[in-house]
Amino acid sequence: MKTPDSEKLTLNLGFVDLGRIDLLVRDGFYSNRSDFIRTAVRNQLSTHADVAAQATTRLSLELGLRVFTRRDLEAAKAAGERLEIRVLGLAVIEPDVSPELARETIASLTVLGALHASPEIKAALSDRLA
């Protein structure tokens, strides 16, 4: 399975703000609206980088991509472990993981970013999502 490198977002902007973005695109400051928005987001994340880093440490978040396979969860089950998953980035629960196995092995699931899992897995873990 190829893991995506980005997540699509939808946002609403006022017409004046949108017009100003279009003006900057037209005048060559940005290649398109998405380029402007990505740059603005990166600038804000850079401005608040210290706060985000402290929160990541305080909350014991794994940073980046974390993939959970059926084999991972079966090993946790065999060891009598229940996972407390905390990810900042992308958490993926592979399609071959059954909802029953997920419920048996995942005690809690906190994802700041995106969770890619089947609708059945998300439903099975709905009471454990933070």
Side-chain angles (χ1 to χ4, degrees):
M1 174 176 120
K2 183 180 182 315
T3 304
D5 60 354
S6 63
E7 185 82 7
K8 185 175 186 172
L9 297 176
T10 301
L11 68 130
N12 297 317
L13 292 174
F15 297 116
V16 173
D17 290 339
L18 188 57
R20 289 178 177 160
I21 293 169
D22 287 344
L23 180 65
L24 293 170
V25 170
R26 187 195 74 185
D27 288 350
F29 289 96
Y30 300 93
S31 58
N32 53 46
R33 290 174 173 176
S34 292
D35 181 35
F36 172 87
I37 293 167
R38 277 190 298 274
T39 300
V41 167
R42 286 185 189 120
N43 288 340
Q44 286 301 304
L45 291 173
S46 178
T47 298
H48 301 288
D50 290 343
V51 173
Q54 290 170 6
T56 300
T57 301
R58 183 180 73 248
L59 298 172
S60 300
L61 297 167
E62 290 185 58
L63 186 62
L65 168 66
R66 183 65 165 90
V67 178
F68 297 91
T69 65
R70 187 179 78 220
R71 179 182 287 175
D72 296 332
L73 298 185
E74 286 173 345
K77 182 179 176 181
E81 297 175 358
R82 294 191 34 94
L83 304 176
E84 293 188 15
I85 298 169
R86 293 183 184 99
V87 175
L88 189 151
L90 174 61
V92 177
I93 300 176
E94 291 285 332
D96 64 347
V97 173
S98 71
E100 296 78 22
L101 180 60
R103 279 199 62 80
E104 291 172 354
T105 56
I106 298 174
S108 67
L109 180 60
T110 301
V111 179
L112 301 174
L115 170 62
H116 288 192
S118 70
E120 295 81 14
I121 294 288
K122 289 179 180 180
L125 298 175
S126 64
D127 62 332
R128 298 161 193 206
L129 292 169

